[in-house]
Amino acid sequence: MPTIAIYPGSFDPPTEGHKNIIERASKLFDQVIVAIAVNSAKQETLSPEERVTLLKGLFQEYPNIQIESFQDQLLIHYVQKKKAQVIVRGLRTFQDYEYEFQMALANKQLAPEIETVFIMADARYAFLSSTLIKEIVRLGGSCEGMLSLSVEKKLKEKLKKSR
Ligand code: COA
């Protein structure tokens, strides 16, 4: 049976840190589904459709990576619907640990058959977050090495419009 892993997140925008985790997960599992969580409580910069398009562009050469979005449902229900066995999460710093630990335990309680697998962030990207990148772009800084060119272009466009 193929091992299907889901990598969920808000990806607003997807960064080089996310890209690195996705690439590494694609070597560990038969299939990786990047699941863009649409969280109505979080103020979004890029629409879910824009995030799907950007991520699809980044991974068009990877046959075992799929990009989707999910909304208004528990992650584990989405994982079960996709017949996946694994949730992948990236760990950047010690601060991530507490939140991730709580979420992994809650998901385990809700669906014991699903495992959460953590991938340590590459040291080059351990400081990155989508909010930090948006601030750098908004204030005219360079985000070389933090964002793919297509993502940077789209983000600049969106942040310009929202001013
Ligand atoms: N590189 C760069 N940045 C990273 C990163 C990496 N490897 N890993 C995480 N981040 C950043 C993200 O950019 C994001 O930054 P931001 O807060 O500035 O936007 C931040 O870390 C949070 O990461 P993200 O993966 O987007 O987590 P989240 O908390 O927004 O989403 C879900 C987590 C979607 C998995 C969770 O909310 C969920 O499962 N929702 C569905 C409902 C549900 O089942 N709830 C019960 C859960 S027990």
Side-chain angles (χ1 to χ4, degrees):
M1 192 171 61
T3 310
I4 304 172
I6 307 273
Y7 179 42
S10 39
F11 306 104
D12 188 25
T15 70
E16 287 299 276
H18 293 126
K19 200 171 143 205
N20 178 264
I21 300 281
I22 298 166
E23 279 168 354
R24 287 160 65 198
S26 77
K27 292 182 189 142
L28 295 174
F29 304 105
D30 297 311
Q31 197 189 344
V32 175
I33 303 175
V34 180
I36 300 167
V38 182
N39 181 351
S40 41
K42 233 175 169 176
Q43 207 193 341
E44 60 182 31
T45 303
L46 299 172
S47 70
E49 295 74 25
E50 287 169 329
R51 284 174 263 164
V52 168
T53 304
L54 286 170
L55 278 161
K56 277 191 174 166
L58 296 180
F59 292 104
Q60 57 192 348
E61 314 271 297
Y62 293 71
N64 70 334
I65 299 176
Q66 253 174 274
I67 316 295
E68 295 193 355
S69 63
F70 73 104
Q71 187 165 16
D72 293 331
Q73 61 181 314
L74 280 175
L75 173 63
I76 48 115
H77 288 161
Y78 174 77
V79 173
Q80 286 165 334
K81 199 172 85 194
K82 291 286 156 188
K83 300 197 181 338
Q85 303 90 339
V86 175
I87 296 168
V88 169
R89 294 288 290 168
L91 273 185
R92 290 164 301 170
T93 59
F94 196 68
Q95 271 110 321
D96 279 348
Y97 177 79
E98 211 171 299
Y99 172 65
E100 294 297 338
F101 182 64
Q102 193 184 20
M103 206 158 63
L105 288 184
N107 284 331
K108 193 77 188 160
Q109 175 80 20
L110 291 165
E113 76 282 8
I114 295 165
E115 292 296 340
T116 300
V117 171
F118 295 101
I119 297 182
M120 289 299 292
D122 186 293
R124 284 171 298 169
Y125 309 120
F127 67 96
L128 280 184
S129 80
S130 297
T131 303
L132 184 94
I133 283 197
K134 282 187 264 194
E135 186 161 304
I136 294 172
V137 170
R138 194 165 45 81
L139 298 174
S142 161
C143 44
E144 199 185 327
M146 302 180 208
L147 282 184
S148 299
L149 282 179
S150 56
V151 179
E152 184 178 347
K153 189 166 167 263
K154 186 78 196 171
L155 188 63
K156 279 185 175 157
E157 238 173 72
K158 289 291 289 211
L159 290 172
K160 213 177 192 175
K161 271 191 204 155
S162 70
R163 261 191 230 152

